[in-house]
Amino acid sequence: YVIESDGAMQVGINAEAMRFASKHKLNNLVLYIDKNGYQAMGETKSILDMDNLVGEFKEFGWSAYEINGHNYDWIINSFELQKENPMAIVCKTIKGKGWKKAENNNLYHYKQLSKEEYEEWKNSYTDDLSEEDKLHKEKMDKYNEAKKRIKLGDITDPTHPTPYEKSWWWNWGRYRDWE
């Protein structure tokens, strides 16, 4: 299983990997692509349009599907699809979904949240969710609670970085004011 972004799919080596996987019938390869339409420097379509990813994968001999990337049931069910060829699952998503301030706002592609922004997000997150999204959030909350009970920790809480996470250069200033 591989997770990739739509912006990263513009890189030439990915086209080579698509050909290689098809030629060698790597039916144990499943690629999930987060297709939110943004990358670091702007909208994906204005840099290099990646709108027809499913068609491109099929042209390379892959099985390819587009799903709602916010629907956990669709994602989980995609694991059960027949794998006769390499398979690409294009997950159509909304960047920053759930927090209106960040939805489709490319600033949040790379912006570090302040503690105040994190609290704002946490407090407002469920206000704008559909009933379906609230159900999925409830499932994820239960999942994270179960993980806590088996001492794995809640990986979704940025206020508690792991020592490993703090060591990366791009996080050097991130937690300075939080401790």
Side-chain angles (χ1 to χ4, degrees):
Y1 294 97
V2 178
I3 299 174
E4 190 63 90
S5 69
D6 52 351
M9 290 306 300
Q10 297 170 348
V11 178
I13 195 157
N14 285 323
E16 294 173 30
M18 289 164 60
R19 287 184 189 99
F20 183 90
S22 181
K23 176 179 176 25
H24 295 284
K25 302 187 185 333
L26 301 181
N27 65 347
N28 61 344
L29 174 61
V30 180
L31 171 63
Y32 285 85
I33 302 162
D34 175 19
K35 184 181 176 189
N36 62 35
Y38 288 90
Q39 60 190 77
M41 303 312 289
E43 289 187 49
T44 306
K45 68 181 176 186
S46 69
I47 296 165
L48 184 60
D49 195 358
M50 302 300 292
D51 200 43
N52 187 26
L53 282 171
V54 169
E56 289 181 30
F57 276 100
K58 287 181 175 181
E59 287 176 15
F60 280 108
W62 288 51
S63 298
Y65 308 91
E66 184 167 292
I67 66 171
N68 176 347
H70 298 292
N71 186 314
Y72 300 118
D73 293 328
W74 288 23
I75 294 168
I76 290 166
N77 289 337
S78 72
F79 285 94
E80 304 302 320
L81 293 171
Q82 183 65 34
K83 297 172 188 75
E84 296 175 11
N85 303 311
M87 185 166 54
I89 307 293
V90 179
C91 302
K92 183 76 173 119
T93 61
I94 297 169
K95 181 179 249 356
K97 184 175 194 275
W99 186 26
K100 292 296 181 198
K101 183 177 182 177
E103 279 189 14
N104 295 319
N105 182 344
N106 205 41
L107 174 67
Y108 288 92
H109 183 85
Y110 47 82
K111 182 183 187 311
Q112 297 176 16
L113 297 182
S114 66
K115 186 172 185 178
E116 293 77 25
E117 285 178 313
Y118 172 70
E119 291 300 325
E120 178 186 338
W121 167 79
K122 195 164 80 170
N123 293 330
S124 69
Y125 181 68
T126 56
D127 294 347
D128 298 322
L129 293 179
S130 67
E131 289 305 312
E132 179 184 16
D133 288 337
K134 286 179 184 176
L135 178 64
H136 291 308
K137 182 184 181 311
E138 185 178 313
K139 286 180 185 178
M140 289 307 293
D141 289 346
K142 287 179 183 177
Y143 171 74
N144 281 324
E145 281 303 313
K147 284 186 354 187
K148 284 180 186 177
R149 286 194 298 274
I150 58 172
K151 300 185 185 333
L152 290 178
D154 182 352
I155 61 169
T156 63
D157 186 352
T159 63
H160 296 92
T162 63
Y164 176 76
E165 181 182 16
K166 288 174 76 172
S167 67
W168 291 98
W169 65 268
W170 54 80
N171 286 329
W172 283 352
R174 181 174 181 185
Y175 303 103
R176 177 180 57 237
D177 301 326
W178 294 32
E179 297 177 19

Short mmCIF file of all heavy atoms in Angstrom, two decimals, residues 97-100 103 124-138:
data_model
loop_
_atom_site.label_atom_id
_atom_site.label_comp_id
_atom_site.label_asym_id
_atom_site.label_seq_id
_atom_site.Cartn_x
_atom_site.Cartn_y
_atom_site.Cartn_z
N LYS A 97 -10.85 19.92 5.08
CA LYS A 97 -12.29 19.69 5.31
C LYS A 97 -12.61 19.66 6.81
O LYS A 97 -11.91 19.05 7.59
CB LYS A 97 -12.73 18.37 4.69
CG LYS A 97 -14.22 18.14 4.83
CD LYS A 97 -14.64 16.89 4.09
CE LYS A 97 -16.09 16.81 3.92
NZ LYS A 97 -16.94 16.32 4.80
N GLY A 98 -13.69 20.35 7.15
CA GLY A 98 -14.16 20.35 8.52
C GLY A 98 -13.87 21.63 9.27
O GLY A 98 -14.48 21.92 10.28
N TRP A 99 -12.94 22.42 8.76
CA TRP A 99 -12.63 23.71 9.38
C TRP A 99 -12.69 24.74 8.27
O TRP A 99 -11.80 24.83 7.43
CB TRP A 99 -11.25 23.68 10.02
CG TRP A 99 -10.90 24.90 10.82
CD1 TRP A 99 -11.75 25.75 11.44
CD2 TRP A 99 -9.59 25.40 11.08
NE1 TRP A 99 -11.06 26.76 12.08
CE2 TRP A 99 -9.72 26.55 11.87
CE3 TRP A 99 -8.32 24.98 10.72
CZ2 TRP A 99 -8.65 27.29 12.31
CZ3 TRP A 99 -7.23 25.71 11.18
CH2 TRP A 99 -7.40 26.85 11.96
N LYS A 100 -13.76 25.52 8.25
CA LYS A 100 -14.02 26.45 7.15
C LYS A 100 -12.84 27.37 6.87
O LYS A 100 -12.57 27.69 5.72
CB LYS A 100 -15.27 27.29 7.44
CG LYS A 100 -16.55 26.48 7.42
CD LYS A 100 -16.82 25.91 6.05
CE LYS A 100 -18.11 25.12 6.04
NZ LYS A 100 -18.24 24.24 4.93
N GLU A 103 -10.52 25.17 4.71
CA GLU A 103 -11.01 24.45 3.54
C GLU A 103 -10.58 25.14 2.25
O GLU A 103 -10.84 26.33 2.07
CB GLU A 103 -12.54 24.31 3.58
CG GLU A 103 -12.98 23.18 4.47
CD GLU A 103 -14.46 22.89 4.37
OE1 GLU A 103 -15.14 23.37 3.44
OE2 GLU A 103 -14.95 22.16 5.25
N SER A 124 -14.31 24.12 16.83
CA SER A 124 -15.29 24.37 15.78
C SER A 124 -15.44 23.21 14.82
O SER A 124 -16.32 23.22 13.97
CB SER A 124 -14.89 25.61 14.98
OG SER A 124 -13.72 25.34 14.21
N TYR A 125 -14.62 22.21 14.96
CA TYR A 125 -14.55 21.15 13.96
C TYR A 125 -15.90 20.49 13.70
O TYR A 125 -16.29 20.28 12.56
CB TYR A 125 -13.51 20.11 14.34
CG TYR A 125 -13.36 19.01 13.33
CD1 TYR A 125 -12.82 19.29 12.08
CD2 TYR A 125 -13.80 17.73 13.58
CE1 TYR A 125 -12.70 18.31 11.12
CE2 TYR A 125 -13.68 16.75 12.62
CZ TYR A 125 -13.13 17.04 11.39
OH TYR A 125 -13.01 16.08 10.45
N THR A 126 -16.64 20.17 14.72
CA THR A 126 -17.89 19.43 14.51
C THR A 126 -19.05 20.33 14.13
O THR A 126 -20.09 19.83 13.71
CB THR A 126 -18.27 18.62 15.76
OG1 THR A 126 -18.35 19.52 16.88
CG2 THR A 126 -17.25 17.54 16.04
N ASP A 127 -18.93 21.64 14.25
CA ASP A 127 -20.05 22.54 13.96
C ASP A 127 -20.57 22.41 12.53
O ASP A 127 -21.77 22.46 12.30
CB ASP A 127 -19.65 24.01 14.20
CG ASP A 127 -19.38 24.27 15.67
OD1 ASP A 127 -19.74 23.42 16.51
OD2 ASP A 127 -18.80 25.33 15.97
N ASP A 128 -19.68 22.27 11.56
CA ASP A 128 -20.07 22.28 10.16
C ASP A 128 -20.13 20.89 9.53
O ASP A 128 -20.27 20.77 8.33
CB ASP A 128 -19.09 23.14 9.35
CG ASP A 128 -19.10 24.58 9.81
OD1 ASP A 128 -20.19 25.08 10.13
OD2 ASP A 128 -18.02 25.19 9.84
N LEU A 129 -20.03 19.85 10.34
CA LEU A 129 -20.01 18.51 9.78
C LEU A 129 -21.42 18.02 9.44
O LEU A 129 -22.38 18.31 10.15
CB LEU A 129 -19.39 17.52 10.77
CG LEU A 129 -17.91 17.69 11.07
CD1 LEU A 129 -17.47 16.64 12.09
CD2 LEU A 129 -17.08 17.56 9.81
N SER A 130 -21.52 17.26 8.36
CA SER A 130 -22.78 16.61 8.02
C SER A 130 -23.01 15.48 9.02
O SER A 130 -22.11 15.09 9.76
CB SER A 130 -22.71 16.04 6.60
OG SER A 130 -21.77 14.97 6.56
N GLU A 131 -24.20 14.93 9.02
CA GLU A 131 -24.50 13.81 9.93
C GLU A 131 -23.59 12.62 9.64
O GLU A 131 -23.12 11.95 10.55
CB GLU A 131 -25.98 13.41 9.81
CG GLU A 131 -26.92 14.43 10.41
CD GLU A 131 -26.60 14.76 11.87
OE1 GLU A 131 -26.40 13.82 12.68
OE2 GLU A 131 -26.55 15.96 12.20
N GLU A 132 -23.33 12.37 8.35
CA GLU A 132 -22.44 11.27 7.97
C GLU A 132 -21.03 11.51 8.52
O GLU A 132 -20.41 10.61 9.08
CB GLU A 132 -22.39 11.15 6.44
CG GLU A 132 -21.48 10.04 5.95
CD GLU A 132 -21.37 9.99 4.43
OE1 GLU A 132 -21.74 10.98 3.76
OE2 GLU A 132 -20.89 8.97 3.94
N ASP A 133 -20.53 12.75 8.39
CA ASP A 133 -19.19 13.07 8.88
C ASP A 133 -19.13 12.98 10.40
O ASP A 133 -18.12 12.56 10.96
CB ASP A 133 -18.76 14.46 8.42
CG ASP A 133 -18.44 14.50 6.93
OD1 ASP A 133 -18.14 13.43 6.36
OD2 ASP A 133 -18.50 15.59 6.35
N LYS A 134 -20.21 13.38 11.08
CA LYS A 134 -20.23 13.27 12.54
C LYS A 134 -20.14 11.82 12.97
O LYS A 134 -19.45 11.49 13.94
CB LYS A 134 -21.50 13.92 13.10
CG LYS A 134 -21.45 15.44 13.06
CD LYS A 134 -22.72 16.05 13.60
CE LYS A 134 -22.65 17.57 13.45
NZ LYS A 134 -23.88 18.23 13.84
N LEU A 135 -20.82 10.93 12.23
CA LEU A 135 -20.74 9.51 12.53
C LEU A 135 -19.32 9.00 12.34
O LEU A 135 -18.80 8.26 13.17
CB LEU A 135 -21.72 8.73 11.63
CG LEU A 135 -21.72 7.22 11.79
CD1 LEU A 135 -22.18 6.82 13.19
CD2 LEU A 135 -22.62 6.59 10.74
N HIS A 136 -18.66 9.42 11.25
CA HIS A 136 -17.28 8.99 11.02
C HIS A 136 -16.34 9.56 12.07
O HIS A 136 -15.43 8.88 12.52
CB HIS A 136 -16.83 9.39 9.62
CG HIS A 136 -17.53 8.64 8.54
ND1 HIS A 136 -17.61 7.27 8.51
CD2 HIS A 136 -18.21 9.07 7.46
CE1 HIS A 136 -18.30 6.88 7.46
NE2 HIS A 136 -18.68 7.96 6.81
N LYS A 137 -16.57 10.81 12.49
CA LYS A 137 -15.74 11.39 13.55
C LYS A 137 -15.92 10.60 14.84
O LYS A 137 -14.95 10.31 15.55
CB LYS A 137 -16.08 12.86 13.78
CG LYS A 137 -15.19 13.49 14.85
CD LYS A 137 -15.56 14.91 15.16
CE LYS A 137 -14.66 15.51 16.21
NZ LYS A 137 -14.45 14.71 17.41
N GLU A 138 -17.16 10.22 15.12
CA GLU A 138 -17.43 9.42 16.32
C GLU A 138 -16.67 8.09 16.25
O GLU A 138 -16.08 7.65 17.24
CB GLU A 138 -18.93 9.17 16.42
CG GLU A 138 -19.37 8.47 17.67
CD GLU A 138 -20.88 8.29 17.71
OE1 GLU A 138 -21.60 9.27 17.43
OE2 GLU A 138 -21.32 7.16 18.01
#
